[in-house]
């Protein structure tokens, strides 16, 4: 057993498993101009215009997304953008986020969406966001959280642009509480935050989930496993997926480091996909012993394939991670991060325990022994695994992205430039 001390690197729901074909969303025709001000600034003097789609009609919908920081904020925004473009192919999206390198900038580049950096300093962030919104002239701003969201919403207010908020957590973020009275609508994942916000502004739709993850059922487990273990063709394989989060988790990584080799040696049909987070990867890579049934990575770009290959998930209890687990129906062991504002991961974890029977290990209880015992306990009870999966799929809301986009379109009215 390897012994090491964790470095302090941490900063700081209902449908079926079948995903419907995205619904074509018509842009509403009722006029709302008297109610909402549009941005009237001309683009004629814009020094850096964004590329236009030559086939796009002049009234094509333009949506700006503000997100950053944790993966949940970023992935929710991209899930909504993907749904928007699937429903309205000529719509245009602009992402406002932290400068490169950042998760949102790399995700935008991989998705071919336009991206504009918003610096971390609030006065500069407000100015930069206002300039980007001035140039892009969106019909609406969608803020999904993280440092760029607050200055982007304030800039939208200055320009007279409507904005909506999508909050992923069981307790609303401080910025959501501050901005909710000024927002066009606040989309929530849970019912509980409604009592803390202006009720008439709230709509509870669940969290958006990326299309690729909603469609992971179309990939067989064997084909998905081949992406991570190309030389393996074993019947009855048991695959554990460990997700330490986009920023990494030294507590989870150290616990896995101290148990993975013994587990793989003792369980000949068990496989481990271990996402360490980029900050912990080099240290973990230097300490692990190579094994043909271990896949070690700083970041998982193909989460759909990872979920398709997996039987049991070990994860932090971020809201979007919990939502993806419900949509994919995976038996789960959650280890909430207690240092998050309002301790919302602990709230999420116990909601998941009630909804689908997820196992919860607190950080105080977490070590290699407790993690090994709980993984073996879940794999050792096939009835429990089936119940977890069935309950998760029953509680999932796989169509929340389409519902939110449809609602946004109904709110902003016609998209003819003013």
């Amino acid at each position: 057993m390897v012994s090491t001390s964790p470095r302090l690197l941490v900063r700081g729901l209902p449908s079926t498993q079948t995903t419907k074909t995205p619904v074509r969303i018509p842009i509403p025709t009722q006029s709302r101009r008297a109610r909402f001000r549009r941005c009237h600034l001309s683009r004629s003097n814009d020094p850096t215009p964004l590329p236009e789609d030559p086939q796009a009609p002049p009234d094509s919908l333009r949506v700006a997304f503000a997100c950053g920081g944790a993966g949940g904020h970023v992935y929710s925004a991209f899930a909504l953008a993907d749904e928007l473009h699937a429903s309205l192919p000529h719509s245009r999206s602009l992402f406002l986020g932290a400068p490169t390198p950042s998760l949102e900038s790399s995700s935008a580049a991989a998705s071919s969406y336009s991206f504009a950096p918003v610096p971390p300093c609030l006065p500069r962030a407000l100015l930069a966001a206002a300039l980007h919104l001035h140039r892009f002239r969106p019909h609406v701003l969608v803020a999904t959280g993280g440092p760029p969201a607050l200055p982007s919403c304030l800039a939208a207010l200055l320009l007279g642009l409507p904005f909506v908020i999508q909050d992923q957590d069981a307790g609303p973020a401080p910025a959501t509480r501050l901005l909710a009275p000024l927002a066009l609508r606040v989309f929530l994942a849970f019912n509980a935050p409604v009592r803390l916000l202006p009720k008439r502004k709230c709509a509870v739709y669940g969290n958006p989930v990326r299309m690729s993850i909603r469609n992971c059922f179309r990939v067989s487990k064997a084909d998905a496993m081949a992406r991570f273990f190309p030389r393996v063709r074993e019947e009855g394989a048991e695959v554990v997926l460990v997700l330490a989060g986009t920023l990494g988790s030294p507590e989870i990584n150290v616990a896995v480091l101290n148990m993975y080799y013994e587990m793989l040696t003792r369980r000949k049909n068990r496989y481990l996909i271990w996402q360490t987070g980029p900050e912990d990867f080099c240290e973990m890579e230097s300490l692990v012993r190579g094994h043909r049934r271990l896949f070690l990575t700083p970041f998982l770009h193909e989460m759909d394939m990872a979920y398709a290959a997996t039987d049991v998930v070990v994860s932090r209890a971020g809201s979007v991670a919990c939502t993806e687990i419900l949509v994919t129906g995976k038996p789960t062991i959650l280890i909430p991060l207690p240092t998050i504002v309002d301790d919302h991961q602990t709230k999420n974890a116990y909601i998941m325990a009630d909804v689908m029977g997820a196992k919860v290990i607190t950080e105080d209880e977490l070590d290699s022994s407790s993690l090994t015992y709980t993984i073996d306990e879940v794999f050792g009870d096939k009835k429990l695994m089936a119940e977890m999966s069935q309950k998760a799929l029953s509680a999932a809301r796989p169509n929340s992205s389409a519902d939110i986009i449809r609602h946004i379109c109904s709110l902003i009215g016609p998209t003819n430039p003013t």
Side-chain angles (χ1 to χ4, degrees), residues 202-318:
C202 297
V204 182
Y205 283 137
N207 277 321
V209 177
R210 289 168 284 176
M211 283 185 180
S212 59
I213 292 175
R214 302 201 313 258
N215 294 334
C216 74
F217 298 102
R218 299 177 183 178
V219 182
S220 70
K221 180 178 177 178
D223 289 341
M225 280 191 67
R227 293 287 186 97
F228 305 100
F229 310 101
R231 298 180 182 178
V232 174
R233 294 291 185 272
E234 183 174 335
E235 295 294 329
E238 298 178 346
V239 182
V240 181
L241 172 63
V242 174
L243 300 174
T246 52
L247 299 179
S249 167
E251 294 80 12
I252 292 178
N253 286 329
V254 168
V256 176
L257 179 66
N258 287 330
M259 54 76 74
Y260 83 94
Y261 198 84
E262 181 182 352
M263 180 185 71
L264 295 179
T265 301
R266 185 166 43 90
R267 305 286 181 177
K268 301 298 183 182
N269 64 333
R270 192 163 293 176
Y271 294 77
L272 177 61
I273 301 172
W274 178 7
Q275 180 257 321
T276 64
E279 306 241 351
D280 281 1
F281 177 72
C282 291
E283 183 178 9
M284 293 299 108
E285 187 180 39
S286 69
L287 294 172
V288 300
R289 297 166 62 184
H291 198 291
R292 73 182 186 91
R293 287 182 275 120
L294 168 67
F295 182 86
L296 187 71
T297 181
F299 191 79
L300 280 167
H301 293 281
E302 293 182 300
M303 280 302 302
D304 54 333
M305 303 301 290
Y307 280 121
T310 296
D311 298 294
V312 172
V313 177
V314 177
S315 175
R316 284 298 194 191

Side-chain angles (χ1 to χ4, degrees), residues 411 417-418:
L411 287 170
T418 60

Side-chain angles (χ1 to χ4, degrees), residues 300-383:
L300 280 167
H301 293 281
E302 293 182 300
M303 280 302 302
D304 54 333
M305 303 301 290
Y307 280 121
T310 296
D311 298 294
V312 172
V313 177
V314 177
S315 175
R316 284 298 194 191
S319 296
V320 171
C322 290
T323 303
E324 292 177 353
I325 287 164
L326 291 178
V327 169
T328 56
K330 298 299 177 180
T332 299
I333 301 165
L334 295 172
I335 306 166
L337 176 63
T339 56
I340 294 291
V341 176
D342 292 334
D343 197 19
H344 69 249
Q345 285 208 9
T346 300
K347 298 174 186 176
N348 294 344
Y350 285 106
I351 287 174
M352 292 286 283
D354 291 339
V355 167
M356 64 166 288
K359 300 290 185 179
V360 179
I361 304 175
T362 66
E363 268 199 7
D364 290 339
E365 300 167 335
L366 177 64
D367 58 24
S368 59
S369 298
S370 64
L371 185 56
T372 301
Y373 174 84
T374 309
I375 292 174
D376 287 344
E377 180 186 21
V378 174
F379 273 117
D381 191 338
K382 300 302 180 186
K383 181 180 179 182

Side-chain angles (χ1 to χ4, degrees), residues 78-127:
F78 279 88
L80 291 173
D82 289 345
E83 189 69 45
L84 172 67
H85 286 265
S87 302
L88 299 170
H90 290 308
S91 60
R92 300 177 60 216
S93 294
L94 171 68
F95 279 82
L96 305 178
T100 304
S102 64
L103 177 60
E104 53 269 34
S105 64
S106 60
S107 297
S111 304
S112 300
Y113 291 130
S114 298
F115 177 80
V118 175
C121 175
L122 183 57
R124 294 178 58 205
L126 180 59
L127 180 61

